[in-house]
C-alpha cells in the first residue's frame, strides 16, 4: 500500500488567519510548479477525531492541504511517493497506448478534529486546487445515512459499447423491440451516483467489483473519473468503504486469475483505499478486511476472494489459488479476526453491518451449488459457513453483490446475548450488485429459500405508448438510515432505491429520477 508521512506546518485556532494562509498558499505566484491532479482529493478512514485525504498527482511536487472549521485550522504538506503499483498491465499491454507516466500518491491524515463536525478543506497541487468538505465520524448516539452498492465494474469501453442485455421483468408489458437497457453503463453509473450525491450520505459502501478488470489501470482511471475526476467528485466529500471483489483479483488478458496476476491487480486496490489496521499476523492481509465504527453502526468488511481448500465447495473462486487472498473458513486468520470483531461490535454498537462480495444466498448465476452442471466456479454459497457466527453475534445486515441484481433474503436464526440467553435474529441479506453493470435475470437452477424480494419478479415494468412508466430492473443502491424513533428506540431503515429512466419518444432516456421499490424494511433495536 502506498502511504506517506504527514507533517503539520501549522495548527492554530484563530479563524481569521485561515483567509491569509489560503490566499498565500494558493495564489498563482506561490503555487508549486508542475502538473496537477491525476485523481482529485478523496476521503478515507474517517474517525471521530481524524480523517485521511488522498490524491494522486502527475508529478512528485508536494501538495498542501488546508482545513478550516469554526475553531481550528490545519495546514499540512504531503510527502509524495511514486505509485509503482499503478503501472499499466505488463502481463499483456492494455489498449490505447501510450499511457501516462506513473502518478505520485499523496496521503495526509488530519487529526485533532471534533466528532460529528463538518469542515472545509482545500488541496493545492501544482497550479491546481480542489475544494470540498468533510464530516468526521459522529458519536454513537447520532443519526447517520449509509448508501451501499456493488458491481459498478467501470471500464472506458462502457461509453461506446451498446447497453447491456435487459430481460423483461415478470409480468412486464414491454414492447417487443426493447431487448437492451435504455442507456449504457457509463450513463447508468453516473446517474446512480448523482442520485446518491443528492441524498448526502455519511458513507458509501461498495461490496466489490468496483472495476471491470482490477489489473487494467485504465479501468481504475475510469472508476476515479466517476468518483474523483471529470465525471464527478462524490468521493471528495463522502468517504468510500470498499470490499475486494473477484474483478479486483482479475488481471485481465495475460494474467487472469493467476496468483501473480491477482496480486498485481489487488495491489492497485490496496494503493487506492485505506482502512483501519486489522492486526493480521500475515502482513499480506493488511487492508483486505477491516472494521469501521461509525456512529451507532459497526461496519465489518471481509475479503471473500478465495476460500480453502482450493476447488472445493468451500472455495469462492475455483480459478484462483496461491494469491495473497486470505481464507475465510473456520480456523483461518480472517475467520478468527471476524469472530473477535463481531463480539466487540455486539457489545458496542446498535447495529452490525457486514459486507463482502460473494452473495451467500441468492437467485443468480453465482448462486448455483458446487457440482451442478451450471456451477460457475465462483459461487457465493461457500460464504454460508459464516452464518452461525453472524447469527450468534447478532449481525443485522449483510451486503454483497456478484449476481448483479437487486435481491433481499431474510435468513432466520438465533443471537446469543451476553447473559447467555437467546433471541430471534433474522439477518437481512442484500445483493446490491446494481451499481452500474450487469442487470442480470435470475438463474433457473439457483434456489434461494430465504428470498423475500427480487426486482426482476416483484416489480413488473409498466409501459404506455412505448414509454416506461414504472417498475423493472434498474441501476441503483440500498439506502440505510439509522435514527431513533419517537419512543427512543433505534431503527435501521433500508430503502431499495433505483435510478429510474424517464423516457420520451422511442424509449429514449431524457432524465433520471430517484424511485424506491416497494420492499422497505425496518429493524428495531
Amino acid at each position: 500500500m502506498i502511504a506517506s508521512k504527514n507533517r503539520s506546518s501549522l495548527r492554530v485556532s484563530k479563524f481569521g488567519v485561515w483567509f491569509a494562509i489560503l490566499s498565500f498558499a494558493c495564489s498563482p505566484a506561490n503555487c508549486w510548479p508542475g502538473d496537477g491532479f491525476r485523481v482529485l482529493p478523496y476521503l478515507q478512514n474517517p474517525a471521530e477525531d481524524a480523517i485521511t485525504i488522498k490524491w494522486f498527482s502527475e508529478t512528485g511536487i508536494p501538495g498542501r492541504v488546508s482545513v478550516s472549521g469554526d475553531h481550528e485550522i490545519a495546514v499540512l504538506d504531503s510527502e509524495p511517493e511514486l505509485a509503482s503499483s499503478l503501472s499499466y498491465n505488463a502481463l499483456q499491454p492494455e489498449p490505447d497506448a501510450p499511457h501516462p507516466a506513473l502518478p505520485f500518491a499523496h496521503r495526509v491524515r488530519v487529526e485533532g478534529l471534533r466528532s460529528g463536525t463538518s469542515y472545509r478543506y482545500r488541496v493545492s497541487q501544482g497550479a491546481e486546487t480542489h475544494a470540498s468538505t468533510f464530516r468526521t465520524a459522529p458519536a454513537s448516539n447520532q443519526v447517520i445515512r449509509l448508501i451501499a452498492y456493488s458491481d459498478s465494474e467501470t471500464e472506458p469501453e462502457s461509453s461506446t459499447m451498446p447497453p447491456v442485455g435487459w430481460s423483461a421483468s415478470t409480468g412486464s408489458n414491454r414492447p417487443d423491440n426493447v431487448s437492451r437497457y435504455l442507456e449504457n453503463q457509463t450513463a447508468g453509473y453516473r446517474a446512480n451516483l448523482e442520485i446518491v450525491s443528492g441524498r448526502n450520505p455519511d458513507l458509501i459502501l461498495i461490496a466489490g467489483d468496483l472495476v471491470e478488470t482490477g489489473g487494467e489501470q485504465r479501468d481504475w482511471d475510469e472508476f476515479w473519473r466517476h468518483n474523483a475526476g471529470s465525471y464527478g467528485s462524490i468521493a471528495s466529500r463522502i468517504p468510500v468503504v470498499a470490499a475486494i471483489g473477484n474483478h479486483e483479483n482479475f488481471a485481465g488478458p495475460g494474467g487472469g486469475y493467476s496468483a501473480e496476476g491477482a496480486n498485481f491487480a489487488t495491489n492497485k486496490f490496496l494503493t487506492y483505499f485505506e482502512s483501519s489496521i486489522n492486526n493480521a499476523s500475515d502482513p499480506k492481509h493488511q487492508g483486505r478486511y477491516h472494521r469501521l465504527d461509525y456512529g451507532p453502526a459497526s461496519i465489518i468488511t471481509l475479503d471473500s476472494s478465495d476460500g480453502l481448500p482450493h476447488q472445493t465447495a468451500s472455495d469462492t473462486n475455483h480459478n484462483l489459488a496461491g494469491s495473497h487472498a486470505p481464507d475465510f473458513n473456520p480456523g483461518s486468520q480472517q475467520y478468527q479476526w471476524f469472530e473477535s470483531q463481531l463480539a466487540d461490535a455486539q457489545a458496542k454498537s446498535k447495529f452490525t453491518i457486514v459486507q463482502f462480495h460473494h452473495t451467500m444466498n441468492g437467485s443468480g448465476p453465482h448462486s448455483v451449488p458446487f457440482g451442478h452442471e451450471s456451477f460457475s466456479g465462483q459461487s457465493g454459497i461457500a460464504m454460508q459457513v459464516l452464518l452461525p457466527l453472524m447469527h450468534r453475534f447478532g449481525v443485522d445486515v449483510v451486503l454483497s453483490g456478484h449476481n448483479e441484481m437487486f435481491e433481499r433474503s431474510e435468513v432466520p436464526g438465533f443471537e446469543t446475548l451476553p447473559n447467555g440467553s437467546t433471541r430471534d435474529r433474522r439477518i437481512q441479506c442484500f445483493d446490491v450488485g446494481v451499481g452500474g453493470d450487469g442487470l442480470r435475470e435470475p438463474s433457473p437452477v439457483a434456489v434461494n429459500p430465504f428470498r423475500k424480494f427480487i426486482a426482476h419478479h416483484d416489480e413488473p415494468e409498466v409501459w404506455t405508448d412505448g414509454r416506461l412508466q414504472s417498475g423493472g430492473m434498474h441501476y441503483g443502491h440500498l439506502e440505510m438510515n439509522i435514527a431513533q424513533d419517537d419512543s427512543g428506540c433505534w431503527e435501521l431503515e433500508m430503502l431499495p432505491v433505483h435510478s429510474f429512466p424517464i423516457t420520451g419518444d422511442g424509449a429514449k432516456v431524457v432524465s433520471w429520477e430517484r424511485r424506491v421499490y416497494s420492499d422497505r424494511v425496518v429493524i428495531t433495536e
Side-chain angles (χ1 to χ4, degrees):
M1 177 181 291
I2 299 295
S4 58
K5 297 179 181 178
N6 318 315
R7 60 178 184 271
S8 176
S9 56
L10 177 65
R11 181 172 294 181
V12 297
S13 59
K14 294 184 179 296
F15 184 72
V17 179
W18 156 256
F19 297 100
I21 292 173
L22 186 60
S23 61
F24 174 80
C26 297
S27 66
N30 293 295
C31 284
W32 286 293
D35 293 328
F37 299 108
R38 176 78 62 86
V39 175
L40 292 176
Y42 62 95
L43 306 174
Q44 287 286 281
N45 198 14
E48 288 193 40
D49 61 351
I51 200 164
T52 295
I53 302 173
K54 299 190 71 170
W55 69 96
F56 291 82
S57 67
E58 302 289 355
T59 65
I61 303 297
R64 172 163 291 178
V65 176
S66 304
V67 180
S68 70
D70 291 340
H71 300 287
E72 61 184 27
I73 299 170
V75 178
L76 304 102
D77 294 341
S78 69
E79 295 183 2
E81 293 186 6
L82 187 67
S84 57
S85 63
L86 303 187
S87 64
Y88 287 80
N89 200 327
L91 302 170
Q92 178 169 312
E94 298 181 34
D96 305 322
H99 300 295
L102 286 171
F104 287 80
H106 301 254
R107 173 194 180 273
V108 167
R109 184 72 173 169
V110 185
E111 300 176 324
L113 303 174
R114 293 184 175 183
S115 171
T117 302
S118 295
Y119 293 87
R120 298 184 300 277
Y121 76 95
R122 182 183 298 268
V123 179
S124 300
Q125 183 63 51
E128 298 181 7
T129 61
H130 182 77
S132 190
T133 60
F134 66 79
R135 180 174 180 251
T136 51
S140 61
N141 62 348
Q142 298 298 305
V143 171
I144 64 171
R145 171 172 291 161
L146 312 176
I147 296 288
Y149 67 86
S150 72
D151 296 86
S152 45
E153 295 189 22
T154 57
E155 57 180 337
E157 294 92 333
S158 293
S159 298
T160 56
M161 291 190 307
V164 296
W166 190 37
S167 298
S169 61
T170 303
S172 168
N173 67 334
R174 181 196 295 181
D176 293 338
N177 64 338
V178 179
S179 61
R180 291 187 174 274
Y181 196 60
L182 304 177
E183 265 290 7
N184 63 40
Q185 292 163 284
T186 297
Y189 187 37
R190 289 182 70 174
N192 197 9
L193 290 182
E194 288 174 4
I195 290 173
V196 171
S197 180
R199 299 297 290 171
N200 196 29
D202 294 284
L203 294 176
I204 295 174
L205 313 181
I206 309 180
D209 280 9
L210 290 70
V211 297
E212 176 68 25
T213 302
E216 291 197 350
Q217 184 56 40
R218 63 202 183 101
D219 290 2
W220 283 109
D221 296 342
E222 184 76 0
F223 177 83
W224 292 111
R225 285 188 193 99
H226 282 278
N227 289 277
S230 57
Y231 292 160
S233 56
I234 190 171
S236 290
R237 64 182 182 87
I238 303 169
V240 172
V241 182
I244 295 176
N246 61 293
H247 280 260
E248 277 69 65
N249 284 277
F250 186 65
Y257 283 117
S258 66
E260 177 190 17
N263 293 340
F264 173 80
T266 53
N267 279 344
K268 294 179 182 293
F269 176 96
L270 296 171
T271 296
Y272 284 123
F273 294 98
E274 175 182 312
S275 60
S276 57
I277 301 299
N278 62 15
N279 296 317
S281 58
D282 189 335
K284 297 190 294 293
H285 296 168
Q286 292 295 347
R288 301 186 69 116
Y289 50 90
H290 43 85
R291 171 182 167 188
L292 174 65
D293 290 337
Y294 197 93
S298 284
I299 301 158
I300 301 175
T301 301
L302 300 180
D303 185 350
S304 62
S305 298
D306 192 34
L308 296 176
H310 181 51
Q311 293 189 340
T312 67
S314 299
D315 188 4
T316 48
N317 191 334
H318 285 220
N319 303 304
L320 181 60
S323 75
H324 294 164
D327 185 25
F328 52 78
N329 284 283
S332 67
Q333 293 179 23
Q334 184 174 201
Y335 183 95
Q336 293 172 7
W337 175 87
F338 185 41
E339 182 175 20
S340 66
Q341 298 304 309
L342 287 176
D344 191 60
Q346 182 189 40
K348 292 181 178 178
S349 300
K350 303 292 190 302
F351 298 97
T352 300
I353 299 168
V354 176
Q355 71 167 348
F356 49 80
H357 182 61
H358 295 74
T359 295
M360 60 183 174
N361 297 101
S363 303
H366 293 307
S367 295
V368 176
F370 176 69
H372 191 280
E373 62 180 3
S374 299
F375 179 66
S376 66
Q378 298 198 44
S379 174
I381 292 176
M383 299 304 293
Q384 292 180 12
V385 72
L386 302 178
L387 273 171
L389 272 187
M390 292 192 283
H391 276 125
R392 175 185 168 194
F393 292 108
V395 168
D396 297 285
V397 179
V398 174
L399 305 169
S400 302
H402 200 41
N403 277 328
E404 298 181 12
M405 53 182 56
F406 220 139
E407 181 176 15
R408 177 177 68 89
S409 304
E410 186 177 274
V411 185
F414 294 93
E415 176 184 3
T416 302
L417 300 175
N419 63 8
S421 63
T422 61
R423 65 174 176 178
D424 179 74
R425 171 59 62 181
R426 296 178 179 269
I427 304 176
Q428 304 299 322
C429 301
F430 290 87
D431 180 345
V432 291
V434 288
D437 185 77
L439 300 181
R440 290 176 177 152
E441 62 181 320
S443 166
V445 297
V447 177
N448 180 11
F450 304 115
R451 188 173 77 198
K452 294 296 183 181
F453 171 83
I454 186 167
H456 184 85
H457 289 322
D458 297 326
E459 297 284 344
E461 301 161 36
V462 177
W463 294 74
T464 302
D465 298 327
R467 297 187 181 190
L468 181 63
Q469 303 298 317
S470 63
M473 177 75 165
H474 303 284
Y475 298 120
H477 53 270
L478 182 70
E479 179 178 310
M480 294 176 283
N481 299 302
I482 302 179
Q484 287 179 290
D485 63 15
D486 294 339
S487 65
C489 293
W490 282 92
E491 289 186 340
L492 167 55
E493 176 193 47
M494 290 162 283
L495 301 174
V497 178
H498 56 289
S499 307
F500 186 80
I502 305 298
T503 55
D505 293 339
K508 299 295 184 182
V509 178
V510 297
S511 63
W512 299 85
E513 181 176 280
R514 177 184 181 270
R515 294 194 184 181
V516 181
Y517 290 128
S518 58
D519 189 51
R520 175 180 178 266
V521 179
V522 177
I523 299 173
T524 302
E525 281 293 311

